[in-house]
Amino acid sequence: MAPWATALSALAAAIGLFFSATVASSSVDATRRQLDQDERQQAGRVGFWAEPAGELSETIVLVNRSLDPVTNVELWWYAPDADIDPAEHEDVFMAFSTVPPCTRMVFDHRAVDAFLLNSFGIEQGVAPLRAIQFIDSDGRQWLRDPTGLRAAEMERVDGQDVGDDVPARQEPAEHCDK
């Protein structure tokens, strides 16, 4: 075989290897993205927001649009001026056991204000709602805040579900996976 033919064969083989590696890399990336999407599927359907209720108060809305419940739910309020150890954290928590599937929970501002005042001495309107943390049906712990959804790094505060005593109106969630 002529030297130029050997070089041409080697070049063709190198180009083939390059394209094979590129296709394999794209396939791995697509698989990784699909696994991440599957892992986040339920957590991505859980959200919260605050609606103004008067000058200083907020009605809290928590929604689970998935077909499975989320458990060990915590609402986090940013309260650096509360009577808590700032070296430990700057948030106060309301924890409760479960948000049922396809459910929207609405916490009346009076109940939230009373909870924050009685539990932490926080006056009305001083602590904004900052985040929620919960466990999905696969046992993964998630944190959702204004920056987005991510795997939670903090352990649950404790096993006390004090929020179960705070009344919330439960209604069917819109846009639920059915």
Side-chain angles (χ1 to χ4, degrees):
M1 188 186 285
W4 62 269
T6 303
L8 188 59
S9 294
L11 179 62
I15 291 171
L17 282 174
F18 172 76
F19 283 112
S20 292
T22 302
V23 168
S25 175
S26 294
S27 177
V28 167
D29 287 345
T31 301
R32 188 175 297 128
R33 281 191 303 272
Q34 183 63 45
L35 287 172
D36 184 53
Q37 183 179 354
D38 291 348
E39 186 176 277
R40 293 171 160 268
Q41 185 173 5
Q42 181 187 15
R45 302 198 56 81
V46 177
F48 76 99
W49 62 90
E51 298 174 349
E55 191 173 317
L56 299 174
S57 297
E58 296 177 325
T59 297
I60 305 302
V61 179
L62 181 60
V63 65
N64 176 10
R65 291 185 177 107
S66 76
L67 295 175
D68 293 307
V70 292
T71 59
N72 295 347
V73 182
E74 294 176 346
L75 299 174
W76 295 9
W77 281 269
Y78 179 66
D81 298 329
D83 190 20
I84 56 176
D85 181 3
E88 217 175 290
H89 49 72
E90 294 182 330
D91 299 298
V92 296
F93 307 88
M94 181 172 76
F96 52 100
S97 54
T98 304
V99 178
C102 301
T103 299
R104 172 182 155 120
M105 296 178 72
V106 181
F107 295 88
D108 183 84
H109 67 91
R110 291 174 292 264
V112 171
D113 290 342
F115 169 77
L116 292 173
L117 183 63
N118 296 334
S119 299
F120 303 104
I122 297 173
E123 295 295 325
Q124 182 182 25
V126 175
L129 183 62
R130 183 176 79 87
I132 60 170
Q133 183 169 282
F134 58 92
I135 296 177
D136 69 12
S137 60
D138 291 325
R140 287 185 290 267
Q141 190 168 345
W142 297 94
L143 177 75
R144 179 179 293 282
D145 64 14
T147 64
L149 175 69
R150 62 185 173 279
E153 298 171 4
M154 294 183 64
E155 290 295 319
R156 187 158 192 238
V157 177
D158 59 29
Q160 185 180 11
D161 294 324
V162 296
D164 285 337
D165 297 331
V166 178
R169 186 176 72 243
Q170 291 190 20
E171 355 178 289
E174 294 179 2
H175 311 294
C176 186
D177 280 334
K178 287 195 177 189

